[in-house]
Amino acid sequence: MTPDSLRSALEEFLGGSRHAVVLEDGARIYDLADSKYSISGEFNKCLLHLWSAERNTVRRVLDAEVRNGNLRLMVQRLGQTRPSKIEICRNTERRTPTARKAARTVYQQHLRRALERNFPGFTVRKLSNAVDLERSFGPIYARGWLRQGRTAFAVLGVNQQETQASIDAALTFGILWLDECRNSADHHTLVEGLKLVLPAGTSALTRERLVHLHPGAAKWQLYEFDERHDSLAEVDFGDHGNVATRLVRCPDESAALERFSESIHRVLTLLPECDVAVLSGAEVVFRWHGLEFARARISHEAGSFRSGQEIAFGVGAEERVLEDHNAAALSDLVNRLRSTRGPQGARHQAFWRLHPECWLESLVVRDVSAIDERLDHGCLYSQVPAFSASDRAMLDILTLTRANRLAGVELKGDEDIHLPLQGLDYWSCVQWHHARGEFQQFGYSPGRELSPADPLLFLVAPTLHIHPATDTVLHYLAPEIEWTLVGIDERWRDEARVIFRKRATGQSLPLRHRETAEILS
C-alpha cells in the first residue's frame, strides 16, 4: 500500500471509532475516548502519531488491513528496523466467542443457585440465554422466571465479565423480558414485576433510571450479585438524593465570538457555510453538517504565562495544530467535506456516514419548531455539557416551549433499541437541575421565567429506523414524563420533515393506551 492509501485507510477507520482502543503487541496503550491522534503522509511515509496525558507515540505505518471489524497495522518504531503490530479495536470486548459462551454458562449456574437460596418457596424456571432475534434478545443476558403458585417475577441477569455498556443496557432488555413474560403467561398467572440482577458495584446508572419507571406498572427490584462470594444483595434505588450531576455555566457567546474573530475569519474563508458553535469562553468549534472538523482555542506558551490562540483540525480524535507547513492539509480536509458530506453525497464515503445524530442535530437546530409547534426556536442550546456519575455527557438539544417550559430533544439517526432510556437519562438530568433552579442560575434562558412544570421529552428518529421495541419501553416510563416520539422522513439529510408524532397522554388510562398518535400528511 502507498503512503496515501495507508493514510486514507487510517482516516476512514479512525474517523468513526471515537471509542476504539489501541493495542501494541497485545498490550492496551490508548483509548481514543480520551486520546488524540494525527496522520501525516509527508516524505513518502505514513506516520501515525498518538498521544494522551500519559504517553506520546509515533509509528511509521507499513501496511494495514481490516479483519473482523478491527484495523491491523504493521508499524515500525522510529530508529528501529524490526516491525511490530498495532491493532485498533472498535469493540473493547477481547474475549473469544468460546470464552464468552463458557462464562455465560457458568454464570447461569451461579445465578440459579443464588435465586433458589435467596427466594425460598419460589421455583426458578426457564433460565436461559438462548438467542431470540425476533424479540431482540441476545446471548449476553440470562433470562428466566421465578414462580410461586399464581405469582411470578421476570428475572434477568448479566455477569461481571461483560462490558459496562452491556450492564447499563440490561434494564432495556429487562423491561422487554418482563413484557414478554406477561404476554406469554397463562391467564391464571400474575407476573408482578422484574428482578434485575447486575454485578456488584455496577448499578449506578440503572438505579437512576429505575426511579423514573412507572411504579404502578410493575414491581421493580434491583439486586447486585457478587459472583466471587456468591452473595445476592437487594439495592434500594428509592433514595434519589445522591445523584452526582452538575451543570456547566452557559458561556457568553458574543464575547467568545469576538475573542476568536480572527480564527473564525480564517476558517470561514475556507468554508463560509460551516456552523460556528461556542463551547466555552476559551473554545469555539466549526462543524459541517454536524461533523466537527476544526476548533479554535486558547493556548499557552511553554515556559511562560503568556497565552495565545491556535486552530486545531481533524475529524474525531484526529488533531493537528494549524501551522504554515500543514495549511494545505486543512484545505484538503475542507474540500473533501464539501464534496462528500452533503444530502446528495455518496453513501459509501466515510464522511457521509459519520455521526448521523450530529447531522440531524444541525438541521433541528435551524428550526426546532418543525419538530413540534410548541417549541420556541428563539431559545435553544445544543450540546450542553453536563456531568453525571463522574462521566462527561452532552445534552443534545435543550430548548423552551412558547409557554416557557423546558424541553429536551434526544436525536437518533439510526435504529437504537435504547432510545427511550437514553432519553430518560436526558430528562432526569434536566429535571434535576431545573428543580434546583440551576439553569437560570448558570445563565441559561436569560430574561425568561421558566415554568415550574417538569420538562418535556422529545425523541426524534427516522420513521423506519425507530426500533419496534420502542413503544414497549415507553409504556413503562413514569406518568410524570410527558414524552413525544417523533418520526421523520427517511430522507432527512436535506430537511427534517415530520411524518408522525406519538404523545403520552391521559395517565389515568390503562397503561397500554396511554399514547395517542398524530399522523401528518
Side-chain angles (χ1 to χ4, degrees):
M1 299 180 72
T2 66
D4 285 342
S5 62
L6 285 170
R7 186 185 69 175
S8 297
L10 284 168
E11 288 177 344
E12 179 168 351
F13 187 90
L14 291 171
S17 307
R18 287 186 292 182
H19 301 289
V21 296
V22 181
L23 311 175
E24 186 168 36
D25 294 330
R28 183 168 175 164
I29 58 173
Y30 290 100
D31 185 337
L32 292 186
D34 51 23
S35 305
K36 296 292 184 181
Y37 72 88
S38 67
I39 306 165
S40 64
E42 301 171 354
F43 310 111
N44 203 32
K45 297 178 180 179
C46 178
L47 297 180
L48 174 62
H49 181 194
L50 297 150
W51 70 94
S52 66
E54 291 77 28
R55 56 167 60 96
N56 194 317
T57 302
V58 179
R59 298 288 184 266
R60 178 184 177 184
V61 181
L62 305 176
D63 198 9
E65 67 170 339
V66 176
R67 183 181 297 178
N68 297 326
N70 298 330
L71 181 64
R72 298 185 178 183
L73 306 176
M74 186 67 69
V75 301
Q76 188 177 48
R77 299 171 185 259
L78 298 182
Q80 296 186 10
T81 57
R82 185 177 179 180
S84 58
K85 295 180 180 179
I86 281 182
E87 187 171 12
I88 304 174
C89 307
R90 285 179 176 156
N91 186 357
T92 58
E93 173 62 81
R94 302 295 298 158
R95 294 177 297 165
T96 65
T98 302
R100 291 197 297 269
K101 183 177 181 180
R104 292 162 184 169
T105 300
V106 171
Y107 173 76
Q108 280 188 48
Q109 298 168 357
H110 283 266
L111 179 60
R112 178 181 290 274
R113 290 198 301 266
L115 293 173
E116 291 172 343
R117 184 174 60 253
N118 285 271
F119 302 103
F122 282 84
T123 302
V124 182
R125 299 182 57 187
K126 300 180 181 179
L127 192 61
S128 168
N129 65 347
V131 175
D132 186 349
L133 297 181
E134 182 180 352
R135 295 173 177 81
S136 303
F137 296 122
I140 295 176
Y141 306 103
R143 313 179 303 276
W145 297 52
L146 272 178
R147 184 163 183 169
Q148 184 181 49
R150 296 184 177 182
T151 298
F153 280 86
V155 177
L156 185 137
V158 56
N159 73 73
Q160 63 187 4
Q161 296 186 45
E162 305 296 345
T163 64
Q164 186 61 48
S166 295
I167 295 169
D168 291 339
L171 182 56
T172 294
F173 294 102
I175 292 172
L176 296 179
W177 177 238
L178 168 63
D179 201 71
E180 171 60 22
C181 291
R182 286 178 165 176
N183 290 334
S184 60
D186 59 61
H187 64 279
H188 297 297
T189 303
L190 173 64
V191 182
E192 292 192 14
L194 171 69
K195 295 183 184 291
L196 186 64
V197 183
L198 304 183
T202 65
S203 65
L205 178 60
T206 303
R207 291 198 304 269
E208 294 184 13
R209 289 174 168 178
L210 281 168
V211 171
H212 299 294
L213 295 189
H214 197 316
K219 292 182 179 179
W220 308 104
Q221 298 176 0
L222 177 64
Y223 299 86
E224 288 194 348
F225 183 32
D226 187 337
E227 296 178 50
R228 291 183 59 189
H229 300 94
D230 209 25
S231 61
L232 189 68
E234 186 169 4
V235 178
D236 178 14
F237 57 85
D239 180 11
H240 197 51
N242 58 349
V243 177
T245 177
R246 64 185 177 89
L247 192 66
V248 174
R249 178 169 294 278
C250 183
D252 185 336
E253 289 198 7
S254 58
L257 293 174
E258 182 179 355
R259 182 178 302 116
F260 290 100
S261 58
E262 184 176 342
S263 298
I264 293 172
H265 175 74
R266 185 171 183 179
V267 176
L268 292 183
T269 300
L270 296 173
L271 193 57
E273 306 91 346
C274 75
D275 297 322
V276 182
V278 176
L279 292 189
S280 69
E283 192 169 35
V284 299
V285 299
F286 304 90
R287 300 177 180 134
W288 179 249
H289 291 305
L291 183 63
E292 181 182 320
F293 67 93
R295 58 178 58 204
R297 63 196 181 198
I298 299 296
S299 62
H300 298 279
E301 297 182 15
S304 74
F305 293 101
R306 290 182 297 180
S307 63
Q309 291 185 23
E310 65 182 16
I311 297 174
F313 65 96
V315 174
E318 182 183 13
E319 181 178 292
R320 281 181 278 181
V321 175
L322 181 63
E323 298 174 347
D324 291 340
H325 71 86
N326 62 13
L330 175 58
S331 298
D332 177 63
L333 174 60
V334 166
N335 291 334
R336 289 163 57 206
L337 285 170
R338 194 198 302 268
S339 62
T340 60
R341 191 173 175 88
Q344 308 306 319
R347 292 172 178 266
H348 69 276
Q349 293 285 350
F351 284 163
W352 192 92
R353 300 193 308 268
L354 282 176
H355 311 320
E357 285 84 10
C358 297
W359 194 334
L360 178 56
E361 179 190 316
S362 71
L363 298 175
V364 173
V365 164
R366 294 176 190 173
D367 184 11
V368 73
S369 63
I371 297 300
D372 192 285
E373 68 280 358
R374 293 173 289 175
L375 300 179
D376 184 0
H377 180 68
C379 185
L380 181 145
Y381 302 92
S382 66
Q383 295 295 300
V384 178
F387 297 79
S388 180
S390 301
D391 292 327
R392 179 168 180 161
M394 291 287 184
L395 309 180
D396 283 354
I397 293 177
L398 178 69
T399 185
L400 293 180
T401 67
R402 302 183 192 281
N404 290 337
R405 187 173 180 181
L406 278 168
V409 183
E410 175 77 7
L411 305 168
K412 290 294 178 184
D414 291 320
E415 185 175 284
D416 192 336
I417 195 172
H418 304 295
L419 171 61
L421 291 193
Q422 289 175 357
L424 177 62
D425 296 339
Y426 187 1
W427 182 91
S428 64
C429 182
V430 175
Q431 190 263 354
W432 174 267
H433 293 293
H434 177 48
R436 287 150 185 78
E438 293 183 358
F439 283 106
Q440 290 188 304
Q441 178 185 342
F442 284 78
Y444 295 88
S445 307
R448 305 278 290 266
E449 184 176 351
L450 300 184
S451 166
D454 283 340
L456 300 174
L457 173 63
F458 293 86
L459 306 172
V460 182
T463 299
L464 299 182
H465 285 74
I466 296 175
H467 196 281
T470 299
D471 274 348
T472 300
V473 179
L474 286 173
H475 283 135
Y476 288 94
L477 297 190
E480 64 267 18
I481 301 174
E482 295 182 43
W483 53 263
T484 301
L485 179 63
V486 181
I488 60 174
D489 194 308
E490 292 295 311
R491 297 160 293 183
W492 58 264
R493 283 176 170 81
D494 184 28
E495 179 185 356
R497 293 177 288 271
V498 175
I499 303 300
F500 77 86
R501 298 186 185 93
K502 181 180 289 186
R503 293 171 177 160
T505 60
Q507 274 71 25
S508 60
L509 296 176
L511 186 62
R512 288 289 187 182
H513 304 282
R514 275 177 47 204
E515 78 284 352
T516 181
E518 171 189 349
I519 307 299
L520 307 179
S521 58

